């Protein structure tokens, strides 16, 4: 089994070292213009082959619908072959860096698509997990002379009966394929602990929220993995768990402690060669035993330095634990604040509903209609049934009266009756190029509502432009987002002000109201009860 695979890998590495030395001798005695050297290199195959596979999800276990194979394949079967190398999560950066080496080949193995509704899905079924892990192992095993593996994951998957899914994925791969070097990159909303470091050789986590640096982490993973295969890098990881949890809305790295924390990590990286400092802020909407913050420090064989940095980062985080969370306005105060900016001439304004995990919440829309507000757009409300009715019975330009939203749970609010005009019937592109339905309704005084079949987090104006919304005449943009919207609305100057609102929903800022059963003992949050915090 594993011992035999490891012995074969050792023999293979010895043969490659011999081949590299032999090739160098041949090249030294050959005319490089004759092509003899290239031919010798080809015959003595020294190429490093790296397989790429992905199975990623951010799971909200407090949402009502479990996530199975049907949900994962709603948008199509998993990617295989070269299509895997076109996906996100760091993959494109990894491929870009790896292909800068003449003797490295990257092979796409298998990549599971994002499930229906993304993080609106609850527990991943054990059947789905076992199925896709087996498929990943099978595809990787088909790669001839496989030297290493790259896994762009998320880090916040929650699986029925599997406490630590990402660590279990890596463990199963090595159990079948041998102790092959594996690099993992993750979202900073990962829930991970020492178990992942026991099995993965390289662990890198993005530092920015909104996430701009997935490709950068992919590039770093490629270089470290290649050096590991060549014997130039000795992956050494120290992990710390500060035992702190907070809602994702508090983790924006544009300000406050999150910004300073990530800058502290960069300073350590800048000070020492071959040091990579990663901080996961955790994902509190997954009720799992490793929920919360974690620190992963990677060095080249220097355990003492890794421990020193990991301790420093943990001490800094613990010392500032009370500063991560702060008061975020609820529904009415939040809308009041946003409209006050309008009255002061600071417009347009973004009203961001941070807690709507299912996509059909109507709280802000209902309140703006009640106040007879004009010049606003709500993007989006998820309502598949309403979209199907409109597509069947209406055309663009037709008048319409229809109830939308508020169809999942009582936390979503009441359905809203829209009396207006059908402005757009078409589609928009999800990540990966998959098209999904999109409908726009116009109503009131220059008000607009975008309908999508599932939850969609608007991060830029592109979906508004696709639907023909008069963006430049808007006073208010209502989006279902926490921090990602800043990328396309605040950093571009499109909006002047933003108010993040803690309306009712399955992803509240106040995580103390969530019914945890697997919370790590002693987890700190200002919103948790005294019994559950220290």
């Amino acid at each position: 089994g594993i011992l035999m695979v490891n012995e074969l890998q050792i023999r293979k590495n010895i043969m490659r070292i011999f081949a590299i030395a032999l090739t160098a001798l041949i090249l030294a005695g050959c005319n490089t213009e004759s092509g003899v050297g290239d031919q010798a290199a080809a015959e003595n195959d020294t190429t490093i082959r790296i397989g790429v596979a992905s199975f990623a999800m951010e799971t909200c276990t407090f949402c009502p619908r479990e996530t199975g194979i049907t949900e994962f394949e709603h948008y199509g079967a998993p990617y295989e072959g070269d299509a895997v190398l076109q996906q996100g999560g760091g993959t494109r950066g990894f491929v870009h860096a790896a292909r800068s080496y003449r003797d490295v080949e990257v092979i796409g193995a298998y990549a599971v698509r994002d499930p229906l509704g993304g993080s609106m899905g609850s527990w991943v079924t054990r059947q789905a997990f076992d199925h896709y892990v087996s498929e990943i192992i099978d595809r990787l095993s088909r790669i001839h002379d496989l030297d290493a593996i790259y896994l762009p994951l998320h880090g916040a998957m929650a699986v029925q009966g599997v406490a630590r899914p990402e660590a279990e994925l890596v463990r199963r791969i090595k159990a079948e394929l041998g102790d092959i070097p594996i690099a993992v990159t993750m979202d900073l909303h990962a829930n991970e602990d020492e178990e992942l470091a026991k099995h993965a050789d390289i662990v890198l986590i993005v530092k920015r929220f909104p996430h701009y640096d997935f490709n950068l982490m992919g590039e770093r993973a490629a270089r470290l993995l290649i050096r590991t295969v060549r014997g130039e890098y000795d992956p050494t990881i120290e992990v710390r768990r500060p035992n702190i949890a907070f809602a994702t809305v508090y983790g924006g790295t544009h300000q406050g402690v999150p910004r300073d924390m990530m800058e502290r990590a960069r300073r350590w990286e800048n000070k020492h060669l071959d040091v990579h400092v990663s901080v996961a802020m955790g994902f509190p909407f997954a009720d799992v035993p490793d929920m919360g913050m974690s620190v992963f420090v990677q060095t080249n064989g220097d355990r003492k330095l890794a421990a020193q940095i990991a301790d420093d980062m943990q001490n800094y985080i613990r010392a500032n634990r009370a500063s991560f969370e702060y008061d975020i306005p609820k529904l009415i105060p939040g809308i009041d604040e946003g409209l006050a900016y309008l009255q002061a001439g600071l417009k347009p304004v973004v009203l961001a509903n941070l807690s709507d995990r299912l996509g059909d919440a109507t709280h802000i829309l209902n309140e703006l209609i009640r106040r007879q507000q004009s010049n606003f757009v709500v993007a989006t409300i998820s309502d598949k049934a309403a979209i199907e009715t409109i597509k069947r019975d209406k055309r663009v330009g037709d008048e319409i009266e229809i109830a939308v939203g508020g169809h999942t749970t009582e936390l979503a609010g009441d359905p809203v009756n829209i009396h207006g005009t059908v402005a757009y019937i078409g589609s928009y592109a999800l990540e990966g190029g998959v098209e999904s339905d999109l409908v726009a309704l116009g109503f009131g005084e220059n008000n607009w509502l975008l309908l999508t079949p599932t939850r969609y987090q608007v991060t830029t104006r592109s979906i508004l432009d696709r639907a023909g919304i008069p963006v430049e005449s808007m006073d208010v943009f209502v989006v279902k987002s926490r921090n990602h919207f800043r990328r396309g609305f605040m950093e571009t100057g499109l909006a002047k002000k933003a108010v993040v609102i803690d309306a009712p929903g399955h992803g509240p800022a106040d995580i103390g109201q969530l019914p945890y059963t697997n919370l790590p003992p002693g987890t700190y949050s200002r919103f948790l009860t005294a019994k559950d915090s220290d």
Side-chain angles (χ1 to χ4, degrees), residues 271-325:
K271 187 176 180 180
H272 298 277
L273 291 173
D274 276 341
V275 166
H276 298 277
V277 183
S278 296
V279 180
M281 297 189 193
F283 185 67
F285 310 123
D287 185 13
V288 293
D290 55 354
M291 190 275 282
M293 298 188 73
S294 57
V295 177
F296 287 74
V297 179
Q298 184 108 33
T299 66
N300 187 1
D302 194 336
R303 177 76 59 188
K304 182 178 179 181
L305 178 60
Q308 176 191 353
I309 297 172
D311 287 339
D312 173 79
M313 292 300 299
Q314 173 166 260
N315 291 339
Y316 177 83
I317 292 168
R318 292 286 297 177
N320 290 278
R321 62 181 184 170
S323 299
F324 283 102
E325 296 165 309

Side-chain angles (χ1 to χ4, degrees), residues 91-108:
T91 302
R92 289 189 289 272
F94 184 93
V95 173
H96 175 75
R99 285 179 174 170
S100 67
Y101 295 81
R102 294 181 58 186
D103 58 347
V104 174
E105 181 181 1
V106 184
I107 304 104

Side-chain angles (χ1 to χ4, degrees), residues 291-499:
M291 190 275 282
M293 298 188 73
S294 57
V295 177
F296 287 74
V297 179
Q298 184 108 33
T299 66
N300 187 1
D302 194 336
R303 177 76 59 188
K304 182 178 179 181
L305 178 60
Q308 176 191 353
I309 297 172
D311 287 339
D312 173 79
M313 292 300 299
Q314 173 166 260
N315 291 339
Y316 177 83
I317 292 168
R318 292 286 297 177
N320 290 278
R321 62 181 184 170
S323 299
F324 283 102
E325 296 165 309
Y326 45 85
D327 291 330
I328 290 179
K330 300 295 184 181
L331 177 65
I332 300 304
I335 292 177
D336 288 343
E337 181 180 343
L339 297 185
Y341 286 132
L342 293 187
Q343 295 174 359
L346 298 172
K347 59 182 181 180
V349 171
V350 174
L351 300 180
N353 183 348
L354 71 91
S355 57
D356 182 19
R357 286 277 160 184
L358 300 182
D360 66 324
T362 60
H363 304 288
I364 297 178
L365 172 60
N366 256 322
E367 184 63 19
L368 291 179
I369 292 175
R370 188 187 70 80
R371 299 187 186 205
Q372 299 182 337
Q373 182 64 40
S374 59
N375 304 321
F376 70 83
V377 54
V378 175
T380 70
I381 298 286
S382 65
D383 197 324
K384 183 178 181 180
I387 290 175
E388 290 176 350
T389 297
I390 294 168
K391 290 176 64 178
R392 183 186 66 236
D393 300 336
K394 299 293 182 179
R395 295 182 178 180
V396 172
D398 288 351
E399 291 190 6
I400 188 171
E401 185 169 359
I402 190 170
V404 299
H407 53 79
T408 54
T409 70
E410 61 182 16
L411 288 176
D414 297 325
V416 176
N417 191 53
I418 299 294
H419 188 182
T421 303
V422 178
Y424 177 84
I425 300 176
S427 64
Y428 68 103
L430 297 169
E431 187 173 354
V434 178
E435 291 289 316
S436 185
D437 288 330
L438 174 64
V439 168
L441 305 177
F443 63 98
E445 296 184 24
N446 194 33
N447 298 326
W448 306 87
L449 171 63
L450 269 60
L451 299 177
T452 50
T454 60
R455 173 183 174 271
Y456 181 76
Q457 184 173 191
V458 174
T459 59
T460 70
R461 62 179 287 171
S462 60
I463 192 172
L464 306 179
D465 293 330
R466 180 71 172 265
I469 305 301
V471 173
E472 310 304 333
S473 67
M474 292 295 100
D475 289 340
V476 179
F477 299 101
V478 179
V479 298
K480 306 295 181 69
S481 181
R482 292 155 297 285
N483 278 301
H484 291 293
F485 73 89
R486 298 184 188 281
R487 176 184 311 164
F489 288 87
M490 310 312 296
E491 295 175 10
T492 62
L494 177 60
K496 296 296 187 298
K497 287 288 184 179
V499 181

